[in-house]
Amino acid sequence: MLTDHSDSPLMRLLADRTRREDVRGPTLAHVHREIGRLLAADVARSLALEDVAIQHPTGAATGVRIVPGGEPIVLALMRAGLFVAEGVWEALGAASLVPCAPEPAQLGRLPAADRVVVVVDSVINTGRSIRRWLDALGERRPRQRVVATLVGYRPTMAGLVADYPDVHFVTARLSDRSYVGKATTDTGSRLFGTEQWRLE
């Protein structure tokens, strides 16, 4: 399943700021977090919630929480997925945030069974890294796999949806252009201020 926010007015406004050449560093990271918070609304639909007693300023009341033991795990694919993942993590409250290398070899003892696991990347272009993560996570029997991204290349996203019908894909926007950024056009470089580094 694919939930695409390309036509959402608020998401369009936020996504526009990510595409502007003069938006970078902490300002760009802030926009990525805001987008992550909005994407978290779709992630939350996969969570099991329960009522819980809380203390309201006017007295005892009923609140809500994620069912204990079912707290989601947010995997931030480094580098550029970090700030979108932080937005998802902040919005969900009880989630765990795990910064990850692009390869899933570091899954180790990740307690994914019966949990919602959210893989977050800033851009999905070819889909190769997301496929490796989804395959590795599938072996760990999560209750739900979710992929959240700032931008996805439309043909790649269509292929992923067809190949992984049990995964929920959430995008801020779809793009009809495929490209791999370098230096000033690379999302990670713009986020971390390393556009001019020779190694970028």
Side-chain angles (χ1 to χ4, degrees), residues 3-192:
T3 303
D4 169 38
H5 292 279
S6 294
D7 294 326
S8 160
L10 179 56
M11 197 67 85
R12 288 180 65 200
L13 288 168
L14 290 172
D16 179 74
R17 291 169 57 196
T18 70
R19 302 176 70 218
R20 294 179 178 266
E21 189 268 336
D22 60 335
V23 177
R24 55 181 40 132
T27 303
L28 183 58
H30 178 73
V31 176
H32 278 220
R33 285 188 194 99
E34 289 183 31
I35 289 172
R37 288 184 195 100
L38 292 177
L39 295 177
D42 295 297
V43 174
R45 290 186 175 96
S46 298
L47 301 177
L49 304 179
E50 67 179 9
D51 290 342
V52 62
I54 63 169
Q55 190 61 38
H56 186 272
T58 61
T62 301
V64 66
R65 70 178 177 187
I66 297 170
V67 172
E71 297 85 357
I73 299 170
V74 179
L75 303 177
L77 298 193
M78 300 300 283
R79 315 191 284 177
L82 177 62
F83 301 111
V84 176
E86 283 183 352
V88 173
W89 175 57
E90 289 169 1
L92 297 180
S96 299
L97 176 66
V98 182
C100 297
E103 295 296 325
Q106 70 181 84
L107 278 175
R109 297 182 187 174
L110 188 77
D114 299 320
R115 290 180 186 256
V116 174
V117 180
V118 187
V119 182
V120 183
D121 202 356
S122 65
V123 178
I124 296 176
N125 191 22
T126 67
R128 282 191 300 262
S129 59
I130 290 296
R131 287 177 182 277
R132 286 191 293 267
W133 276 97
L134 290 175
D135 292 342
L137 285 169
E139 298 170 5
R140 295 180 175 269
R141 302 180 332 275
R143 186 162 61 79
Q144 176 69 59
R145 291 174 291 174
V146 180
V147 173
T149 187
L150 174 66
V151 58
Y153 179 47
R154 190 181 307 272
T156 297
M157 297 306 296
L160 288 167
V161 170
D163 293 344
Y164 297 92
D166 61 326
V167 174
H168 184 184
F169 295 90
V170 183
T171 65
R173 71 180 185 90
L174 291 175
S175 175
D176 293 312
R177 293 186 335 164
S178 172
Y179 66 92
V180 176
K182 300 269 188 211
T184 58
T185 64
D186 177 68
T187 302
S189 296
R190 290 174 55 228
L191 280 166
F192 292 95

